[in-house]
Amino acid sequence: DILMFEEKIVIIEQKEYEKDILFERIDQLFSKTGLFEELERRGVKSVLLKPNLLGIYPEGSAVTTHPDIVYATAKILSQRGFKVGIGDSSGADHKIKDLFEKNNYNSVFDDGYAVMDNFEIKPFKKINVAGKEIHIAGAFDRYDYFISIPKLKTHNISTITCAIKNFYGIIPGVKKSHLHKEFHRFVDFNRFLVDLYAVIRADYYIVDAIIGMEGDGPAGGNPRNMGMIAGGRDGCKIDAFFLKMMGVDIDKLDYFDYLKEKKLFNGIKKE
């Protein structure tokens, strides 16, 4: 079943993780949202995939983006001739190779559909976020197009970690911890996420909501069967859709007010 929303957000029912079926579903997402036409129109040659690899956790814990979704996405793009990279930076002290290997990502590299991109290798890219110089992964100078693949989870600071929050992972390693300390008030941290989103964000999002997390997220909650994947280009609308599904009134979330103030979000309505 497909549910269409404005801004070409597509929700597809999917109950389980299986590479071949996910290949078909994600190809369907891309076709319904005109991704292949966009890539051709923009002359894209290389695509970076950014999953949520918060740390090293058991596959069934629903903490990290499931490797089969990333595998299927990389395979689709690679078979169409794109150079594909996969990168992230854990908030924990893990070597990048261990982060991918122990989260069962190695098959996508072994099968030649993508290369591993280390977000923690210098030189970093410098950007200005609300007057503050921030270092992000240098990978953002090496690819033409960026696809964020978050895991749908609750979050004890931002209420949800999905499209907007996932790009916090483009900030290398320990630098994320420093920013958490600097923006220790929840309201300040959430405003920083919005400021970051205003400056740099993904071109496209695929949400792993087959099994999400509820409760004490982003790492201590419980797996919850959601049975869907989502695709689209507007991270605010994607997050708003899932927040409403979770029963959260987005009008009571301060950072959605800030998104509106910065003219990044104007609501969501069903087509």
Side-chain angles (χ1 to χ4, degrees), residues 100 116 170 174 214 218 221:
F100 282 108
M116 184 188 305
I170 70 177
V174 69
E214 64 181 359

Side-chain angles (χ1 to χ4, degrees), residues 52 150-155 158-163 165-166 218:
N52 181 337
K151 166 71 83 173
L152 177 64
K153 300 184 290 182
T154 50
H155 195 282
S158 56
T159 307
I160 189 176
T161 172
C162 190
K165 175 66 174 61
N166 193 41

Side-chain angles (χ1 to χ4, degrees), residues 58-95:
E59 197 168 283
S61 63
V63 176
T64 57
T65 304
H66 197 283
D68 287 355
I69 286 186
V70 180
Y71 184 100
T73 305
K75 183 177 179 180
I76 289 167
L77 294 166
S78 177
Q79 288 186 342
R80 285 180 173 258
F82 297 100
K83 172 193 171 185
V84 181
I86 303 172
D88 197 12
S89 173
S90 169
D93 186 21
H94 297 303
K95 293 181 178 179

